[in-house]
């Protein structure tokens, strides 16, 4: 019996040897982060930086400073001694710097606009939900006010009670003076013939 038991374990060991040559992955632990060639950055902080740059590019201060730098650049390269000039007349280096600034400014402005569009979309959605809640509340209050008006229409008002009491007082005064009214105030005061005719 012993040799029979050893045979399956040897087969298992042989099959396990090929499995153990592979790296085992554990499912109860997170994978380690992969190495990347490109540097990683926080998209939120990069977006905030792009918004700051875009806001600065849209100010008058940036235009004034850019104009001052260009004027100083041109004046230096025109009037300075030839040994100190770093960009001769066609100003190719100035053109390169301006195109480089524009090539970075355009995507930063677009990124800032996309973030602003996302914020506007979220605000619009919140405003729409708030408007829906306000409309629902207004409709509810309108129904409640209509129900109160209907309920108040059935409630006896002070003027109606006063007029009913005055009518009852007049009838009582007429009774005391000996005048019998055509019909009584209460149903028991009415004549029996009236009840028969009503039927």
């Amino acid at each position: 019996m012993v040799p029979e038991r050893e045979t399956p374990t040897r087969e298992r060991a042989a099959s396990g040897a090929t499995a153990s040559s592979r790296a085992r992955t554990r499912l109860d632990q997170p994978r380690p982060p992969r190495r990347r060639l490109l540097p990683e950055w926080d998209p939120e902080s990069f977006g905030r930086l792009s918004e700051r740059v875009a806001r600065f590019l849209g100010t008058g201060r940036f235009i004034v400073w850019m104009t001052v730098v260009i004027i100083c650049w041109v004046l230096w390269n025109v009037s300075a001694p030839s040994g100190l000039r770093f960009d001769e007349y066609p100003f190719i280096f100035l053109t390169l710097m301006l195109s480089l600034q524009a090539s970075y400014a355009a995507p930063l402005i677009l990124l800032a606009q996309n973030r602003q569009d996302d914020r506007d979309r979220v605000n619009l959605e919140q405003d729409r939900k708030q408007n829906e809640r306000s409309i629902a509340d207004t409709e509810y209050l309108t129904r409640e006010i209509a129900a109160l008006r209907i309920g108040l229409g059935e409630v006896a008002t002070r003027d109606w009670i006063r007029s009913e009491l005055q009518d009852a007082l007049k009838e009582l005064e007429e009774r005391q003076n000996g005048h019998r009214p055509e019909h009584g105030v209460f149903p028991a005061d009415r004549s029996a013939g009236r009840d028969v005719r009503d039927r």
Side-chain angles (χ1 to χ4, degrees), residues 69-95 97:
V69 167
I70 291 172
I71 289 172
C72 290
W73 187 297
V74 170
L75 288 176
W76 179 265
N77 287 304
V78 168
S79 61
S82 60
L84 297 176
R85 294 180 191 170
F86 56 90
D87 192 17
E88 291 295 326
Y89 164 65
F91 306 118
I92 295 173
F93 189 52
L94 176 64
T95 307
M97 294 302 292

Side-chain angles (χ1 to χ4, degrees), residues 143-154:
R143 286 193 299 271
E144 289 295 317
I145 289 172
L148 286 174
R149 283 184 178 172
I150 291 170
L152 284 176
E154 297 173 357

Side-chain angles (χ1 to χ4, degrees), residues 167-183:
D167 290 343
L169 186 62
K170 283 179 187 177
E171 288 179 8
L172 287 175
E173 286 176 355
E174 288 176 0
R175 272 190 174 173
Q176 279 184 344
N177 293 338
H179 301 304
R180 182 152 180 93
E182 295 176 8
H183 58 281

Side-chain angles (χ1 to χ4, degrees), residues 41-52 111 115 118-119:
W41 63 85
D42 182 23
E44 190 65 27
S45 61
F46 188 73
R48 284 195 297 268
L49 175 68
S50 68
E51 285 180 344
R52 278 193 220 131
L111 182 61
R115 284 172 56 87
D118 291 342
R119 277 197 298 272

Side-chain angles (χ1 to χ4, degrees), residues 21-22 27 30 61 82 86-87 120 163 165 175 187 196:
S21 62
R22 284 184 273 158
L27 298 177
R61 184 188 312 169
S82 60
F86 56 90
D87 192 17
D120 291 344
S163 66
L165 288 175
R175 272 190 174 173
V196 172

